[in-house]
Amino acid sequence: MRYNEKNAYTIETLSDGVSRILETYISDDWRCNIWYIKGPDRDLIIDAGMGLWPIAQDIIERRENDVIAFYTHSHHDHTGGFSQFEKRLSHPAKAHIFANPTTEFVVEELVGYKVMKVLPYEGFKIESWCYEPAPSTEEVNEGDIIDLGDRTFYVLHLPGHFPGSIGLWEKDTRLLFFGDTLYDEVLYDHIYHSVPETLLESLKRLRELPINTFHAGHYSTFNRDRMRVIIEKYLSGRRLTCTSYEV
């Protein structure tokens, strides 16, 4: 029996038909942004949190269309909920992790009890937890298209934080969703599978793309000006070890 199932998520409607779903019982500094976009033919969910509560039941059961679930990368805070969805898209690099997750592969060892405001069920032990296997049903690569019927998203491969890190770019609205490649805090480039030199190249690429709104994997959405500040700090070697970048 899971606790507080009906209050496990909050949903916020933003501009451009985008909603952000947040895990209520995961700490603010750890929970990922779960992005949801409705289309006339199908809906899209980008990342699905830790999966400790039934997101498909609690939030997505209200859907009228089929849902495409899109992995930005395999880490535990983004991927745990994907086993609840039938159609799951990811990049082929390290795709075996989704099918055979281990605490090392999904960097679950970073999680402590402070991450959770409420335990998901009686007897839960973070030391032995790992998300349920959820192998991709379809692999996507750079340049592939996800069509919702009236909205088209292009897949971008943005490795560095993780070899198979991918994002989705909507050219018409100039929106970008990109997981943990970039967000408005200290970037994690030192964990399992991360390659700082590769992340540098992905950030240089992002800097040149015609994008106005950046929907990151954590924390707040930001605009192009803020994106440049964050990237320049990183490229200049002034990556801080505190909890945020200095303006």
Side-chain angles (χ1 to χ4, degrees), residues 121-157:
Y121 52 85
E122 187 175 0
F124 175 84
K125 294 187 181 300
I126 191 64
E127 298 87 356
S128 58
W129 172 77
C130 192
Y131 64 70
E132 295 181 14
S136 305
T137 59
E138 182 180 342
E139 294 181 348
V140 291
N141 289 278
E142 171 79 27
D144 286 347
I145 293 174
I146 297 176
D147 184 3
L148 303 186
D150 63 349
R151 303 187 71 164
T152 301
F153 295 86
Y154 295 84
V155 176
L156 300 181
H157 184 206

Side-chain angles (χ1 to χ4, degrees), residues 47 72-73 78 156-162 164-167 176-189 198-206 215-218 222 230-231 234 245:
D47 290 339
T72 62
H73 62 298
H78 294 257
L156 300 181
H157 184 206
L158 301 164
H161 176 74
F162 178 78
S165 288
I166 47 178
L176 180 64
F177 302 85
F178 50 87
D180 287 359
T181 298
L182 179 67
Y183 47 80
D184 199 357
E185 289 285 344
V186 172
L187 303 183
Y188 274 44
D189 63 1
T198 305
L199 181 59
L200 280 170
E201 295 307 311
S202 290
L203 294 179
K204 289 176 183 178
R205 182 187 182 195
L206 283 180
H215 289 307
H218 293 272
F222 48 91
I230 301 167
I231 290 179
Y234 188 88
Y245 284 95

Side-chain angles (χ1 to χ4, degrees), residues 20-22 31-35 46-47 78 216-220:
R20 180 172 68 165
I21 302 170
L22 294 173
R31 64 189 181 187
C32 83
N33 292 322
I34 302 167
W35 302 107
I46 302 169
D47 290 339
H78 294 257
H218 293 272
Y219 309 108
S220 61

Side-chain angles (χ1 to χ4, degrees), residues 33-49:
N33 292 322
I34 302 167
W35 302 107
Y36 196 82
I37 305 162
K38 291 186 66 65
D41 297 338
R42 57 198 64 86
D43 297 350
L44 175 66
I45 187 168
I46 302 169
D47 290 339

Side-chain angles (χ1 to χ4, degrees), residues 29-246:
D29 63 345
W30 205 266
R31 64 189 181 187
C32 83
N33 292 322
I34 302 167
W35 302 107
Y36 196 82
I37 305 162
K38 291 186 66 65
D41 297 338
R42 57 198 64 86
D43 297 350
L44 175 66
I45 187 168
I46 302 169
D47 290 339
M50 293 180 68
L52 296 172
W53 293 272
I55 185 169
Q57 172 185 319
D58 198 36
I59 297 291
I60 313 305
E61 67 180 2
R62 306 170 196 173
R63 68 189 185 273
E64 298 176 357
N65 299 326
D66 291 336
V67 177
I68 300 170
F70 181 89
Y71 300 88
T72 62
H73 62 298
S74 76
H75 292 158
H76 65 273
D77 49 332
H78 294 257
T79 309
F82 277 116
S83 61
Q84 302 175 38
F85 297 92
E86 293 183 2
K87 187 170 185 179
R88 302 181 295 268
L89 278 59
S90 76
H91 191 272
K94 305 295 181 181
H96 66 280
I97 294 175
F98 304 119
N100 300 285
T102 67
T103 55
E104 180 183 25
F105 286 170
V106 306
V107 295
E108 187 272 324
E109 71 272 10
L110 297 177
V111 184
Y113 284 105
K114 290 183 178 180
V115 168
M116 300 175 187
K117 301 175 184 178
V118 174
L119 295 182
Y121 52 85
E122 187 175 0
F124 175 84
K125 294 187 181 300
I126 191 64
E127 298 87 356
S128 58
W129 172 77
C130 192
Y131 64 70
E132 295 181 14
S136 305
T137 59
E138 182 180 342
E139 294 181 348
V140 291
N141 289 278
E142 171 79 27
D144 286 347
I145 293 174
I146 297 176
D147 184 3
L148 303 186
D150 63 349
R151 303 187 71 164
T152 301
F153 295 86
Y154 295 84
V155 176
L156 300 181
H157 184 206
L158 301 164
H161 176 74
F162 178 78
S165 288
I166 47 178
L168 287 176
W169 175 29
E170 187 175 37
K171 293 182 181 179
D172 290 345
T173 57
R174 295 195 171 190
L175 299 180
L176 180 64
F177 302 85
F178 50 87
D180 287 359
T181 298
L182 179 67
Y183 47 80
D184 199 357
E185 289 285 344
V186 172
L187 303 183
Y188 274 44
D189 63 1
H190 60 288
I191 55 180
Y192 187 72
H193 282 142
S194 296
V195 181
E197 295 78 10
T198 305
L199 181 59
L200 280 170
E201 295 307 311
S202 290
L203 294 179
K204 289 176 183 178
R205 182 187 182 195
L206 283 180
R207 187 176 54 180
E208 304 306 319
L209 289 174
I211 299 164
N212 294 334
T213 304
F214 294 78
H215 289 307
H218 293 272
Y219 309 108
S220 61
T221 290
F222 48 91
N223 61 22
R224 186 174 184 80
D225 290 339
R226 183 60 184 164
M227 175 271 294
R228 287 184 173 275
V229 170
I230 301 167
I231 290 179
E232 291 306 321
K233 288 278 189 179
Y234 188 88
L235 296 182
S236 67
R238 288 180 289 149
R239 176 185 178 276
L240 304 182
T241 56
C242 61
T243 56
S244 64
Y245 284 95
E246 296 175 343

